[in-house]
Amino acid sequence: MSGGHGDRTMYITPSRFQYTKFKDDLHLYLSLGIIPLALLITYVNIFIGPATLTEIPEDYEPKHWEYYKSIHPISRFIAKHFHDDPQIEHEKVLHMLHEEQETAKWSQTIRKVNTLMAERDDYKSWYFIPSDQGRKTRQARKETDELYERKGYR
């Protein structure tokens, strides 16, 4: 059967399946990502091109992505749709600083009130909640006494 050339043997070698599978997946995902991006960039560079500086009408105020000539169209798209206006960001920071100042002012006022209450031994202060407990207790005691009087226990 073997043609007289000796015994037929099968050599055991490590599998190359994982390596081949990795190469195939890498090729697939690079093709899915790089080819469309290359086509998009080519299209943008050919048909849209860089921004040009032109005169603007009197009543038109440019948007934040329209200020610079050297910005690439894709960068303008990203700035337009994914980044906030720097003026809005500045307003957010100012609002945050204002809120922190208000919090600090209120904290200082509360500390001052607590210090003055401790110095003057105040008990009825800005956090004092009046209670009707004593009035209700006296009313209940009065009704109990009247009940005892009517029943003849006293």
Side-chain angles (χ1 to χ4, degrees), residues 93-119:
V93 170
L94 290 179
H95 175 72
M96 182 186 67
L97 290 174
H98 176 71
E99 290 292 322
E100 287 180 2
Q101 286 177 347
E102 288 291 320
T103 303
K105 191 189 314 182
W106 279 109
S107 297
Q108 183 181 8
T109 305
I110 289 171
R111 275 195 308 273
K112 184 176 179 181
V113 166
N114 286 332
T115 304
L116 291 174
M117 284 178 2
E119 286 176 2

PDB file of all heavy atoms in Angstrom, residues 93-119:
ATOM      1  N   VAL A  93     -18.963  77.432  32.276  1.00  0.00           N
ATOM      2  CA  VAL A  93     -17.944  77.583  33.309  1.00  0.00           C
ATOM      3  C   VAL A  93     -18.302  78.741  34.233  1.00  0.00           C
ATOM      4  O   VAL A  93     -18.186  78.631  35.469  1.00  0.00           O
ATOM      5  CB  VAL A  93     -16.552  77.792  32.671  1.00  0.00           C
ATOM      6  CG1 VAL A  93     -15.528  78.201  33.706  1.00  0.00           C
ATOM      7  CG2 VAL A  93     -16.105  76.523  31.966  1.00  0.00           C
ATOM      8  N   LEU A  94     -18.761  79.860  33.660  1.00  0.00           N
ATOM      9  CA  LEU A  94     -19.156  80.999  34.492  1.00  0.00           C
ATOM     10  C   LEU A  94     -20.321  80.651  35.410  1.00  0.00           C
ATOM     11  O   LEU A  94     -20.363  81.057  36.576  1.00  0.00           O
ATOM     12  CB  LEU A  94     -19.521  82.196  33.613  1.00  0.00           C
ATOM     13  CG  LEU A  94     -18.364  82.865  32.877  1.00  0.00           C
ATOM     14  CD1 LEU A  94     -18.887  84.006  32.024  1.00  0.00           C
ATOM     15  CD2 LEU A  94     -17.322  83.362  33.850  1.00  0.00           C
ATOM     16  N   HIS A  95     -21.288  79.886  34.896  1.00  0.00           N
ATOM     17  CA  HIS A  95     -22.419  79.473  35.724  1.00  0.00           C
ATOM     18  C   HIS A  95     -21.942  78.587  36.876  1.00  0.00           C
ATOM     19  O   HIS A  95     -22.397  78.750  38.023  1.00  0.00           O
ATOM     20  CB  HIS A  95     -23.450  78.731  34.877  1.00  0.00           C
ATOM     21  CG  HIS A  95     -24.583  78.183  35.675  1.00  0.00           C
ATOM     22  ND1 HIS A  95     -25.557  78.977  36.235  1.00  0.00           N
ATOM     23  CD2 HIS A  95     -24.896  76.912  36.029  1.00  0.00           C
ATOM     24  CE1 HIS A  95     -26.423  78.222  36.895  1.00  0.00           C
ATOM     25  NE2 HIS A  95     -26.029  76.969  36.793  1.00  0.00           N
ATOM     26  N   MET A  96     -21.030  77.659  36.577  1.00  0.00           N
ATOM     27  CA  MET A  96     -20.506  76.778  37.619  1.00  0.00           C
ATOM     28  C   MET A  96     -19.785  77.594  38.693  1.00  0.00           C
ATOM     29  O   MET A  96     -19.967  77.365  39.894  1.00  0.00           O
ATOM     30  CB  MET A  96     -19.557  75.747  37.017  1.00  0.00           C
ATOM     31  CG  MET A  96     -19.013  74.759  38.018  1.00  0.00           C
ATOM     32  SD  MET A  96     -17.778  73.678  37.325  1.00  0.00           S
ATOM     33  CE  MET A  96     -16.461  74.844  37.014  1.00  0.00           C
ATOM     34  N   LEU A  97     -18.973  78.586  38.271  1.00  0.00           N
ATOM     35  CA  LEU A  97     -18.278  79.431  39.238  1.00  0.00           C
ATOM     36  C   LEU A  97     -19.272  80.236  40.081  1.00  0.00           C
ATOM     37  O   LEU A  97     -19.088  80.393  41.302  1.00  0.00           O
ATOM     38  CB  LEU A  97     -17.319  80.375  38.518  1.00  0.00           C
ATOM     39  CG  LEU A  97     -16.087  79.720  37.899  1.00  0.00           C
ATOM     40  CD1 LEU A  97     -15.309  80.740  37.095  1.00  0.00           C
ATOM     41  CD2 LEU A  97     -15.221  79.090  38.964  1.00  0.00           C
ATOM     42  N   HIS A  98     -20.335  80.740  39.455  1.00  0.00           N
ATOM     43  CA  HIS A  98     -21.363  81.481  40.200  1.00  0.00           C
ATOM     44  C   HIS A  98     -22.032  80.588  41.237  1.00  0.00           C
ATOM     45  O   HIS A  98     -22.249  81.011  42.390  1.00  0.00           O
ATOM     46  CB  HIS A  98     -22.398  82.049  39.232  1.00  0.00           C
ATOM     47  CG  HIS A  98     -23.535  82.727  39.899  1.00  0.00           C
ATOM     48  ND1 HIS A  98     -23.407  83.935  40.551  1.00  0.00           N
ATOM     49  CD2 HIS A  98     -24.828  82.347  40.051  1.00  0.00           C
ATOM     50  CE1 HIS A  98     -24.575  84.269  41.074  1.00  0.00           C
ATOM     51  NE2 HIS A  98     -25.452  83.330  40.781  1.00  0.00           N
ATOM     52  N   GLU A  99     -22.357  79.371  40.853  1.00  0.00           N
ATOM     53  CA  GLU A  99     -22.988  78.437  41.799  1.00  0.00           C
ATOM     54  C   GLU A  99     -22.056  78.134  42.967  1.00  0.00           C
ATOM     55  O   GLU A  99     -22.494  78.059  44.118  1.00  0.00           O
ATOM     56  CB  GLU A  99     -23.368  77.134  41.084  1.00  0.00           C
ATOM     57  CG  GLU A  99     -24.509  77.275  40.105  1.00  0.00           C
ATOM     58  CD  GLU A  99     -25.823  77.570  40.780  1.00  0.00           C
ATOM     59  OE1 GLU A  99     -26.072  77.006  41.869  1.00  0.00           O
ATOM     60  OE2 GLU A  99     -26.589  78.363  40.242  1.00  0.00           O
ATOM     61  N   GLU A 100     -20.768  77.952  42.683  1.00  0.00           N
ATOM     62  CA  GLU A 100     -19.816  77.693  43.766  1.00  0.00           C
ATOM     63  C   GLU A 100     -19.703  78.893  44.708  1.00  0.00           C
ATOM     64  O   GLU A 100     -19.603  78.723  45.923  1.00  0.00           O
ATOM     65  CB  GLU A 100     -18.445  77.352  43.188  1.00  0.00           C
ATOM     66  CG  GLU A 100     -18.380  75.979  42.576  1.00  0.00           C
ATOM     67  CD  GLU A 100     -17.017  75.658  41.999  1.00  0.00           C
ATOM     68  OE1 GLU A 100     -16.102  76.496  42.114  1.00  0.00           O
ATOM     69  OE2 GLU A 100     -16.884  74.568  41.444  1.00  0.00           O
ATOM     70  N   GLN A 101     -19.722  80.111  44.151  1.00  0.00           N
ATOM     71  CA  GLN A 101     -19.674  81.299  44.999  1.00  0.00           C
ATOM     72  C   GLN A 101     -20.916  81.407  45.880  1.00  0.00           C
ATOM     73  O   GLN A 101     -20.818  81.756  47.060  1.00  0.00           O
ATOM     74  CB  GLN A 101     -19.536  82.556  44.141  1.00  0.00           C
ATOM     75  CG  GLN A 101     -18.166  82.749  43.557  1.00  0.00           C
ATOM     76  CD  GLN A 101     -18.096  83.968  42.656  1.00  0.00           C
ATOM     77  OE1 GLN A 101     -19.118  84.535  42.287  1.00  0.00           O
ATOM     78  NE2 GLN A 101     -16.880  84.358  42.302  1.00  0.00           N
ATOM     79  N   GLU A 102     -22.082  81.110  45.303  1.00  0.00           N
ATOM     80  CA  GLU A 102     -23.320  81.145  46.101  1.00  0.00           C
ATOM     81  C   GLU A 102     -23.262  80.108  47.222  1.00  0.00           C
ATOM     82  O   GLU A 102     -23.652  80.389  48.354  1.00  0.00           O
ATOM     83  CB  GLU A 102     -24.529  80.874  45.198  1.00  0.00           C
ATOM     84  CG  GLU A 102     -24.875  82.007  44.278  1.00  0.00           C
ATOM     85  CD  GLU A 102     -25.416  83.204  45.026  1.00  0.00           C
ATOM     86  OE1 GLU A 102     -26.202  83.020  45.977  1.00  0.00           O
ATOM     87  OE2 GLU A 102     -25.024  84.324  44.666  1.00  0.00           O
ATOM     88  N   THR A 103     -22.780  78.910  46.910  1.00  0.00           N
ATOM     89  CA  THR A 103     -22.675  77.867  47.932  1.00  0.00           C
ATOM     90  C   THR A 103     -21.720  78.292  49.030  1.00  0.00           C
ATOM     91  O   THR A 103     -21.993  78.081  50.219  1.00  0.00           O
ATOM     92  CB  THR A 103     -22.188  76.555  47.281  1.00  0.00           C
ATOM     93  OG1 THR A 103     -23.082  76.199  46.228  1.00  0.00           O
ATOM     94  CG2 THR A 103     -22.148  75.426  48.292  1.00  0.00           C
ATOM     95  N   ALA A 104     -20.592  78.884  48.639  1.00  0.00           N
ATOM     96  CA  ALA A 104     -19.626  79.344  49.650  1.00  0.00           C
ATOM     97  C   ALA A 104     -20.220  80.443  50.525  1.00  0.00           C
ATOM     98  O   ALA A 104     -20.017  80.461  51.753  1.00  0.00           O
ATOM     99  CB  ALA A 104     -18.358  79.843  48.953  1.00  0.00           C
ATOM    100  N   LYS A 105     -20.972  81.351  49.906  1.00  0.00           N
ATOM    101  CA  LYS A 105     -21.598  82.434  50.673  1.00  0.00           C
ATOM    102  C   LYS A 105     -22.606  81.867  51.676  1.00  0.00           C
ATOM    103  O   LYS A 105     -22.630  82.281  52.841  1.00  0.00           O
ATOM    104  CB  LYS A 105     -22.290  83.410  49.724  1.00  0.00           C
ATOM    105  CG  LYS A 105     -22.729  84.688  50.403  1.00  0.00           C
ATOM    106  CD  LYS A 105     -23.602  85.588  49.552  1.00  0.00           C
ATOM    107  CE  LYS A 105     -23.126  85.786  48.154  1.00  0.00           C
ATOM    108  NZ  LYS A 105     -23.996  86.698  47.388  1.00  0.00           N
ATOM    109  N   TRP A 106     -23.433  80.921  51.249  1.00  0.00           N
ATOM    110  CA  TRP A 106     -24.415  80.327  52.165  1.00  0.00           C
ATOM    111  C   TRP A 106     -23.726  79.541  53.270  1.00  0.00           C
ATOM    112  O   TRP A 106     -24.160  79.574  54.430  1.00  0.00           O
ATOM    113  CB  TRP A 106     -25.392  79.427  51.411  1.00  0.00           C
ATOM    114  CG  TRP A 106     -26.478  80.202  50.758  1.00  0.00           C
ATOM    115  CD1 TRP A 106     -26.659  80.418  49.434  1.00  0.00           C
ATOM    116  CD2 TRP A 106     -27.539  80.895  51.417  1.00  0.00           C
ATOM    117  NE1 TRP A 106     -27.753  81.199  49.211  1.00  0.00           N
ATOM    118  CE2 TRP A 106     -28.318  81.502  50.412  1.00  0.00           C
ATOM    119  CE3 TRP A 106     -27.900  81.057  52.744  1.00  0.00           C
ATOM    120  CZ2 TRP A 106     -29.440  82.258  50.705  1.00  0.00           C
ATOM    121  CZ3 TRP A 106     -29.023  81.814  53.032  1.00  0.00           C
ATOM    122  CH2 TRP A 106     -29.779  82.407  52.021  1.00  0.00           C
ATOM    123  N   SER A 107     -22.658  78.832  52.932  1.00  0.00           N
ATOM    124  CA  SER A 107     -21.926  78.082  53.959  1.00  0.00           C
ATOM    125  C   SER A 107     -21.334  79.025  54.994  1.00  0.00           C
ATOM    126  O   SER A 107     -21.369  78.745  56.204  1.00  0.00           O
ATOM    127  CB  SER A 107     -20.813  77.257  53.314  1.00  0.00           C
ATOM    128  OG  SER A 107     -21.346  76.305  52.442  1.00  0.00           O
ATOM    129  N   GLN A 108     -20.796  80.151  54.538  1.00  0.00           N
ATOM    130  CA  GLN A 108     -20.237  81.133  55.462  1.00  0.00           C
ATOM    131  C   GLN A 108     -21.328  81.704  56.372  1.00  0.00           C
ATOM    132  O   GLN A 108     -21.121  81.862  57.577  1.00  0.00           O
ATOM    133  CB  GLN A 108     -19.569  82.246  54.667  1.00  0.00           C
ATOM    134  CG  GLN A 108     -18.901  83.287  55.520  1.00  0.00           C
ATOM    135  CD  GLN A 108     -18.266  84.380  54.672  1.00  0.00           C
ATOM    136  OE1 GLN A 108     -18.457  84.429  53.464  1.00  0.00           O
ATOM    137  NE2 GLN A 108     -17.512  85.255  55.318  1.00  0.00           N
ATOM    138  N   THR A 109     -22.497  81.990  55.803  1.00  0.00           N
ATOM    139  CA  THR A 109     -23.606  82.513  56.604  1.00  0.00           C
ATOM    140  C   THR A 109     -24.053  81.496  57.651  1.00  0.00           C
ATOM    141  O   THR A 109     -24.293  81.846  58.817  1.00  0.00           O
ATOM    142  CB  THR A 109     -24.790  82.890  55.698  1.00  0.00           C
ATOM    143  OG1 THR A 109     -24.341  83.809  54.705  1.00  0.00           O
ATOM    144  CG2 THR A 109     -25.930  83.493  56.489  1.00  0.00           C
ATOM    145  N   ILE A 110     -24.151  80.242  57.258  1.00  0.00           N
ATOM    146  CA  ILE A 110     -24.580  79.194  58.206  1.00  0.00           C
ATOM    147  C   ILE A 110     -23.552  79.034  59.321  1.00  0.00           C
ATOM    148  O   ILE A 110     -23.908  78.891  60.499  1.00  0.00           O
ATOM    149  CB  ILE A 110     -24.815  77.868  57.451  1.00  0.00           C
ATOM    150  CG1 ILE A 110     -26.071  77.995  56.585  1.00  0.00           C
ATOM    151  CG2 ILE A 110     -24.948  76.702  58.405  1.00  0.00           C
ATOM    152  CD1 ILE A 110     -26.281  76.849  55.636  1.00  0.00           C
ATOM    153  N   ARG A 111     -22.255  79.067  58.967  1.00  0.00           N
ATOM    154  CA  ARG A 111     -21.213  78.979  59.995  1.00  0.00           C
ATOM    155  C   ARG A 111     -21.309  80.154  60.970  1.00  0.00           C
ATOM    156  O   ARG A 111     -21.167  79.990  62.187  1.00  0.00           O
ATOM    157  CB  ARG A 111     -19.829  78.945  59.348  1.00  0.00           C
ATOM    158  CG  ARG A 111     -19.387  77.577  58.915  1.00  0.00           C
ATOM    159  CD  ARG A 111     -17.901  77.530  58.621  1.00  0.00           C
ATOM    160  NE  ARG A 111     -17.450  78.567  57.698  1.00  0.00           N
ATOM    161  CZ  ARG A 111     -17.462  78.464  56.379  1.00  0.00           C
ATOM    162  NH1 ARG A 111     -17.922  77.368  55.814  1.00  0.00           N
ATOM    163  NH2 ARG A 111     -17.025  79.453  55.625  1.00  0.00           N
ATOM    164  N   LYS A 112     -21.560  81.348  60.454  1.00  0.00           N
ATOM    165  CA  LYS A 112     -21.672  82.534  61.306  1.00  0.00           C
ATOM    166  C   LYS A 112     -22.865  82.409  62.251  1.00  0.00           C
ATOM    167  O   LYS A 112     -22.762  82.718  63.439  1.00  0.00           O
ATOM    168  CB  LYS A 112     -21.809  83.787  60.442  1.00  0.00           C
ATOM    169  CG  LYS A 112     -21.840  85.058  61.233  1.00  0.00           C
ATOM    170  CD  LYS A 112     -21.872  86.262  60.327  1.00  0.00           C
ATOM    171  CE  LYS A 112     -21.919  87.542  61.122  1.00  0.00           C
ATOM    172  NZ  LYS A 112     -21.974  88.720  60.260  1.00  0.00           N
ATOM    173  N   VAL A 113     -24.003  81.928  61.726  1.00  0.00           N
ATOM    174  CA  VAL A 113     -25.198  81.754  62.563  1.00  0.00           C
ATOM    175  C   VAL A 113     -24.927  80.734  63.665  1.00  0.00           C
ATOM    176  O   VAL A 113     -25.256  80.957  64.835  1.00  0.00           O
ATOM    177  CB  VAL A 113     -26.404  81.336  61.698  1.00  0.00           C
ATOM    178  CG1 VAL A 113     -27.540  80.821  62.556  1.00  0.00           C
ATOM    179  CG2 VAL A 113     -26.862  82.490  60.844  1.00  0.00           C
ATOM    180  N   ASN A 114     -24.298  79.617  63.317  1.00  0.00           N
ATOM    181  CA  ASN A 114     -23.999  78.597  64.330  1.00  0.00           C
ATOM    182  C   ASN A 114     -23.035  79.129  65.380  1.00  0.00           C
ATOM    183  O   ASN A 114     -23.181  78.839  66.579  1.00  0.00           O
ATOM    184  CB  ASN A 114     -23.421  77.345  63.667  1.00  0.00           C
ATOM    185  CG  ASN A 114     -24.482  76.558  62.938  1.00  0.00           C
ATOM    186  OD1 ASN A 114     -25.657  76.594  63.294  1.00  0.00           O
ATOM    187  ND2 ASN A 114     -24.091  75.850  61.901  1.00  0.00           N
ATOM    188  N   THR A 115     -22.047  79.920  64.949  1.00  0.00           N
ATOM    189  CA  THR A 115     -21.097  80.509  65.898  1.00  0.00           C
ATOM    190  C   THR A 115     -21.809  81.463  66.850  1.00  0.00           C
ATOM    191  O   THR A 115     -21.592  81.417  68.078  1.00  0.00           O
ATOM    192  CB  THR A 115     -19.982  81.257  65.141  1.00  0.00           C
ATOM    193  OG1 THR A 115     -19.359  80.363  64.240  1.00  0.00           O
ATOM    194  CG2 THR A 115     -18.955  81.819  66.093  1.00  0.00           C
ATOM    195  N   LEU A 116     -22.667  82.330  66.322  1.00  0.00           N
ATOM    196  CA  LEU A 116     -23.396  83.273  67.172  1.00  0.00           C
ATOM    197  C   LEU A 116     -24.359  82.557  68.117  1.00  0.00           C
ATOM    198  O   LEU A 116     -24.521  82.958  69.271  1.00  0.00           O
ATOM    199  CB  LEU A 116     -24.145  84.289  66.308  1.00  0.00           C
ATOM    200  CG  LEU A 116     -23.264  85.287  65.557  1.00  0.00           C
ATOM    201  CD1 LEU A 116     -24.112  86.146  64.632  1.00  0.00           C
ATOM    202  CD2 LEU A 116     -22.481  86.148  66.540  1.00  0.00           C
ATOM    203  N   MET A 117     -24.989  81.483  67.640  1.00  0.00           N
ATOM    204  CA  MET A 117     -25.876  80.720  68.529  1.00  0.00           C
ATOM    205  C   MET A 117     -25.075  80.091  69.666  1.00  0.00           C
ATOM    206  O   MET A 117     -25.531  80.071  70.816  1.00  0.00           O
ATOM    207  CB  MET A 117     -26.593  79.618  67.740  1.00  0.00           C
ATOM    208  CG  MET A 117     -27.718  80.133  66.890  1.00  0.00           C
ATOM    209  SD  MET A 117     -28.576  78.914  65.876  1.00  0.00           S
ATOM    210  CE  MET A 117     -27.853  77.378  66.242  1.00  0.00           C
ATOM    211  N   ALA A 118     -23.884  79.606  69.356  1.00  0.00           N
ATOM    212  CA  ALA A 118     -23.062  78.995  70.406  1.00  0.00           C
ATOM    213  C   ALA A 118     -22.579  80.052  71.396  1.00  0.00           C
ATOM    214  O   ALA A 118     -22.517  79.797  72.604  1.00  0.00           O
ATOM    215  CB  ALA A 118     -21.875  78.276  69.780  1.00  0.00           C
ATOM    216  N   GLU A 119     -22.234  81.240  70.908  1.00  0.00           N
ATOM    217  CA  GLU A 119     -21.747  82.301  71.797  1.00  0.00           C
ATOM    218  C   GLU A 119     -22.847  82.812  72.724  1.00  0.00           C
ATOM    219  O   GLU A 119     -22.614  83.078  73.896  1.00  0.00           O
ATOM    220  CB  GLU A 119     -21.210  83.471  70.972  1.00  0.00           C
ATOM    221  CG  GLU A 119     -19.890  83.224  70.313  1.00  0.00           C
ATOM    222  CD  GLU A 119     -19.466  84.387  69.424  1.00  0.00           C
ATOM    223  OE1 GLU A 119     -20.210  85.403  69.362  1.00  0.00           O
ATOM    224  OE2 GLU A 119     -18.410  84.274  68.791  1.00  0.00           O
TER     225      GLU A 119
END
